[in-house]
Amino acid sequence: MRWGLIGASAIAENHMIPAMRHAHQEIAAVMSGTADRAAAFAAAQGIAKATSDLADLLGDPAIEAVYISSTNEKHFAQAMASIAAGKHVLCEKPLAMSLDEASEMVRAAEGAGLVFATNHHLRCSGSHRAIRGLIASGRIGRVLSLRLFHAVHLPESLRGWRLTDPGAGGGVIPDITVHDADVARFLLGEDPQTVVAQMCASGLGQGVEDSAMSVWTMPSGTMVQSHESFTHPFAGSGLEVHGTEGSIFARGVMTQRPVGEIELVTAAGREPVPFSAHYLYVQGIEEFAQAVAGKGHPAASGWDGVASLAVALAVREAARTGARQTVGYGEGA
């Protein structure tokens, strides 16, 4: 396919462009907010066309799909314009600033017969797919609890709007809690029902939260504990799944790279769990391309993105009010 990039972002540069090219996709154009930024990005990445005009990019009939990685508040308008232009859409999370906008984007794509996917990359990793397989096969029995710890130290290069601009969708909850919500849904196959939470600015956030902790109830009775932060340089990340017949300990797997380790503990003892070391962004691009070809589904659908946003919004509201929140997923999610 021929792609247009909407947003000259770090994730596009460091991950998505290499993944697209590895998956034999063509990047035809990039759009950014200023012509200079677009031109510099295109030159550095070897992209033929640069523009600051979204209509210019979308007006190219040879472009079949767009990847949206602009700041969060721009996603809705850019996605709706892309769908109106007949383009398939792969959008960064969170999909939008509100559940209504996110749902409208997905419904519009469905109505137009287009593929709309959320770039929830963690569900493309070999480690998370191995953990899901262990749970589904009953190796740990009935799942009792899931602990997600995703407290990291935000790199200097990303310390812009994520730390200072609530209007652009800044804060650790829209940035990382949405990931953990998708991980829980992917591993457990069910949606959080209610959440309690706390949040704070613990050193980097200026007008937005930079740390959050929450507990979620699941329909099955499984309890989920989630911790996200931008301020923890040495915490490490990972997850634990505990069941009636065993536990899974995964360290270093909440990352953009195919790294980390998994250990299964049962009455029989401890055993390392092997997993595929494929590059997760390539997996996501390949599954998206297959979906466009009518041969499968994207790794994370638009409705998956709506659901993860719903959980994140409920977490932020629970933290803001100090009251338990029921997660509302909206129509169609």
Side-chain angles (χ1 to χ4, degrees), residues 23-303:
H24 309 294
Q25 306 292 296
E26 181 182 350
I27 304 165
V30 60
M31 173 258 171
S32 188
T34 67
D36 288 347
R37 169 66 176 162
F41 189 91
Q45 299 301 318
I47 300 171
K49 180 176 181 178
T51 182
S52 59
D53 183 354
L54 180 62
D56 182 28
L57 183 146
L58 297 177
D60 184 345
I63 292 177
E64 300 169 72
V66 297
Y67 166 60
I68 300 174
S69 64
S70 53
T71 51
N72 300 337
E73 87 285 5
K74 298 183 177 75
H75 291 179
F76 175 71
Q78 291 171 343
M80 293 300 288
S82 300
I83 293 163
K87 314 301 184 185
H88 303 286
V89 176
L90 175 59
C91 188
E92 272 303 326
K93 52 76 210 165
L95 290 185
M97 299 291 283
S98 73
L99 203 63
D100 286 345
E101 287 185 346
S103 298
E104 185 177 347
M105 292 154 65
V106 179
R107 284 196 298 268
E110 288 181 341
L114 298 166
V115 173
F116 188 104
T118 311
N119 199 30
H120 273 309
H121 62 275
L122 288 173
R123 62 166 59 203
C124 295
S125 69
S127 57
H128 287 237
R129 294 187 176 194
I131 294 166
R132 188 189 195 198
L134 290 172
I135 295 169
S137 65
R139 292 295 303 277
I140 64 170
R142 180 170 61 87
V143 178
L144 301 173
S145 63
L146 166 63
R147 176 177 173 243
L148 296 157
F149 46 105
H150 205 161
V152 299
H153 201 234
L154 192 67
E156 290 279 355
S157 61
L158 299 180
R159 293 184 188 181
W161 61 271
R162 287 176 176 83
L163 297 174
T164 62
D165 193 348
V172 77
I173 292 173
D175 201 69
I176 302 184
T177 305
V178 286
H179 274 313
D180 290 347
D182 188 67
V183 168
R185 296 182 65 253
F186 178 70
L187 296 182
L188 302 179
E190 56 180 345
D191 294 325
Q193 290 181 313
T194 66
V195 304
V196 294
Q198 291 188 340
M199 64 183 177
C200 69
S202 61
L204 291 177
Q206 303 172 42
V208 297
E209 81 288 343
D210 60 25
S211 294
M213 288 186 176
S214 54
V215 177
W216 315 340
T217 60
M218 308 297 276
S220 66
T222 298
M223 295 181 67
V224 177
Q225 177 189 14
S226 180
H227 176 207
E228 298 84 27
S229 183
F230 286 149
T231 66
H232 288 43
F234 308 111
S237 69
L239 61 90
E240 299 172 3
V241 195
H242 304 289
T244 55
E245 305 297 330
S247 290
I248 302 165
F249 296 89
R251 303 283 176 172
V253 299
M254 310 295 284
T255 173
Q256 295 166 313
R257 300 181 305 279
V259 298
E261 57 185 29
I262 306 171
E263 184 179 46
L264 173 65
V265 182
T266 66
R270 298 175 175 268
E271 60 178 283
V273 177
F275 59 88
S276 170
H278 64 262
Y279 189 31
L280 48 166
Y281 285 104
V282 173
Q283 184 75 36
I285 290 293
E286 289 177 343
E287 292 188 22
F288 184 92
Q290 287 295 303
V292 170
K295 299 177 181 178
H297 304 280
S301 70
W303 291 118

